[in-house]
């Protein structure tokens, strides 16, 4: 059985940071009156927007992608300005360069930081002493922050409410199709109600790893995507590492970053964090794939390898792991760049697919939306 809802100006699919921010933008800046946000989970920002490394990038991470590094430098101050309560700044951030198997040397890293205008200085001896000098060439003190996803979720909830955006949780969109007279039809399913057909003028597909999982006339994204099941281990840091964020570059190394939402640290390792990957395709549902996956932790292997470079980590206590599907553009596999995907589907006029490679890319998405002409017939 199908039910039909009232006409919506826009349907936003996905209540992560991107879906919520876009809904708020359309309501506040573009005068959309009737916006419906549909989210398959029971709350906002519980998927990739929560299950991540929580780093507010400032460029350091991308010595092989100047554009991503540069955009991070531009976006970080805006992010801190717009979400000051959600940004943790009170920790010491270190980037260390490995002696062997690194794609950059310490000199190249320093030069790159100067080129993008990112602060960098040699770390003091007490901090250097945390690292094994035979494996680490140099250690730098830099400026990088971490975000608290629960605070971003609180912000999203308040703003959506204030803007009158209707939200439907535990509901999954299964189809997007062309309707009559420049409208779109969205099919939504939940366990509680019968299947619903929603008519609207615009659809914003902000479903991150679910971005290609729609039937009907949805053509799929033109850009190829890679899906990756990832594990971030949540750790109680030993006293020597509390108040620190550490990244070892640039190759098969690791990061130990504060995770403000839990008052813990995440431990991730380039070799052990990605468990499984595949080329994204309609019909291979990433959420189902993750659900069916056995979630066997690799924290022991992470700690063993990290302990060679940073012995204090051997005293850290494992709490649990965050497993999530990470979605990246195939074309950036080599350079680690994280541009946005922003596609207007010509086959489905009024339907947009949006994927932000990292949280601060929201500004790049809003810039794109700013140059879109939306029909302002909303009353
Ligand atoms: C392991 C990992 C580490 C990362 N580290 C960082 C980092 O340190 N810094 C950084 O800036 N970025 C990082 N990222 C990237 C960052 O998490 C994403 O760019 C960002 O969260 C994407 O937000 P989103 O709203 O698009 O996705 P999400 O938060 O996943 O939101 C998409 C929403 O859509 C919903 N949905 C999906 N399909 C449907 C459907 N059919 N119907 C209804 N709802 C649907 C989902 O339930 C989900 O809530 C990381 C990502 C991962 C996975």
């Amino acid at each position: 059985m199908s039910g039909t809802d009232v006409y919506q100006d826009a349907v936003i699919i996905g209540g992560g940071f991107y879906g919520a921010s876009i809904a708020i933008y359309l309501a506040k800046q573009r005068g959309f009156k009737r916006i419906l946000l549909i989210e398959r989970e029971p709350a906002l920002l519980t998927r990739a927007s929560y299950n991540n490394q929580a780093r507010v990038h400032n460029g350091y991470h991308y010595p092989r992608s100047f554009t991503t590094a540069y955009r991070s430098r531009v976006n970080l101050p805006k992010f801190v300005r717009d979400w000051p309560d959600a940004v943790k700044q009170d920790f010491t951030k270190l980037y260390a360069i490995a002696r062997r198997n690194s794609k950059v040397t310490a000199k190249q890293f320093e030069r790159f930081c100067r080129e993008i205008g990112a602060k960098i200085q040699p770390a003091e001896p007490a901090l250097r002493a945390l690292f094994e000098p035979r494996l680490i060439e140099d250690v730098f003190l830099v400026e990088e922050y971490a975000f608290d996803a629960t605070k971003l979720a609180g912000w999203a909830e308040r703003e959506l409410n204030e803007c009158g955006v209707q939200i439907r949780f535990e509901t999954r969109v299964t189809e997007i199709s062309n309707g009559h007279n420049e409208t779109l039809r969205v099919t939504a399913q939940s366990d509680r109600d019968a299947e619903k057909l929603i008519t609207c003028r615009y659809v914003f597909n902000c479903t991150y790893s679910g971005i290609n999982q729609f039937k009907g006339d949805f053509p799929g994204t033109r850009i190829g995507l890679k899906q990756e099941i990832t594990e971030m281990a949540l750790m109680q840091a030993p006293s020597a590492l509390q108040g620190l964020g550490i990244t070892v570059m640039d190759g098969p190394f690791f990061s130990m970053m504060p995770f403000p939402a839990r008052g813990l640290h995440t431990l991730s390792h380039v070799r052990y964090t990605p468990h499984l990957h595949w080329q994204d395709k309609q019909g291979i549902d990433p959420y189902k794939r993750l659900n069916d996956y056995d979630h066997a932790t690799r924290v022991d292997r992470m700690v063993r390898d990290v302990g060679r470079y940073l012995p204090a980590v051997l005293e850290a206590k494992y709490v649990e792991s965050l497993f999530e599907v990470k979605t990246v553009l195939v074309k950036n596999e080599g350079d680690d760049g994280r541009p946005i995907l922003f596609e207007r589907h010509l086959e489905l006029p009024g339907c947009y697919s949006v994927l932000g490679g990292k949280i601060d890319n929201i500004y790049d998405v809003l810039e794109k939306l700013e140059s879109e002409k939306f029909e302002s017939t909303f009353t």
Side-chain angles (χ1 to χ4, degrees), residues 9-10 12 21-35 163 165 201-202 204 342 344 352 364-379:
D9 295 327
I12 316 287
S21 300
I22 288 171
I24 293 162
Y25 165 81
L26 294 175
K28 280 190 151 173
Q29 311 294 329
R30 306 298 294 265
F32 282 56
K33 295 281 184 277
R34 288 176 303 260
I35 302 177
C163 297
V165 172
R201 178 67 189 88
Y202 296 103
F204 294 86
F342 185 94
R344 194 192 305 120
Y352 295 80
D364 301 341
V365 167
L366 295 179
E367 218 171 82
K368 286 269 186 201
L369 286 172
E370 198 60 36
S371 57
E372 287 299 306
K373 281 203 170 62
F374 297 121
E375 281 166 18
S376 52
T377 52
F378 322 121
T379 51

Side-chain angles (χ1 to χ4, degrees), residues 19 37 52 72 76 90 93 117 120 129 132 136 138 140 143 156 171 185-186 214 257 260 279 288 304-305 313 345 373:
L37 188 153
N52 62 58
S72 304
L76 176 131
D90 59 347
K93 181 67 209 193
I120 181 162
E132 169 52 64
I136 294 292
D138 213 340
F140 299 102
E143 206 169 71
T171 304
R185 281 181 304 136
V186 168
F214 299 103
M257 280 291 289
Q279 186 91 19
K288 181 170 181 324
R304 209 176 307 135
D305 191 56
V313 88
H345 299 291
K373 281 203 170 62

Side-chain angles (χ1 to χ4, degrees), residues 197-321:
L197 208 57
I198 302 150
T199 306
C200 57
R201 178 67 189 88
Y202 296 103
V203 169
F204 294 86
N205 168 17
C206 310
T207 53
Y208 194 64
S209 47
I211 199 161
N212 278 315
Q213 304 308 315
F214 299 103
K215 295 190 177 139
D217 298 329
F218 185 73
T221 56
R222 290 184 290 277
I223 288 185
L225 296 170
K226 178 185 159 192
Q227 305 281 17
E228 198 170 70
I229 291 182
T230 53
E231 177 187 5
M232 318 276 305
L234 285 176
M235 313 293 287
Q236 182 81 56
S239 55
L241 299 179
Q242 270 170 25
L244 294 181
I246 291 171
T247 297
V248 175
M249 297 280 278
D250 177 18
F253 307 115
F254 63 90
S255 276
M256 191 160 180
M257 280 291 289
F259 190 71
R262 294 281 298 273
L264 296 166
H265 277 68
T266 51
L267 184 63
S268 62
H269 193 297
V270 170
R271 208 177 294 134
Y272 304 116
T273 287
H275 279 234
L276 182 73
H277 65 88
W278 66 95
Q279 186 91 19
D280 188 41
K281 266 209 212 114
Q282 208 255 319
I284 307 179
D285 180 348
Y287 296 103
K288 181 170 181 324
R289 197 124 197 224
L290 179 60
N291 267 349
D292 295 345
Y293 187 66
D294 71 359
H295 290 60
T297 181
R298 293 177 176 171
V299 68
D300 288 351
R301 278 180 271 177
M302 290 192 206
V303 169
R304 209 176 307 135
D305 191 56
V306 173
R308 298 191 303 125
Y309 298 82
L310 185 70
V313 88
L314 300 170
E315 307 302 319
K317 274 208 189 75
Y318 173 62
V319 179
E320 62 173 305
S321 289

Side-chain angles (χ1 to χ4, degrees), residues 115-135:
E115 270 167 21
I116 60 165
K119 276 192 185 160
I120 181 162
Q121 65 184 80
E124 60 194 64
L127 294 170
R128 284 169 183 276
L130 290 167
F131 296 85
E132 169 52 64
R134 279 174 303 155
L135 297 180

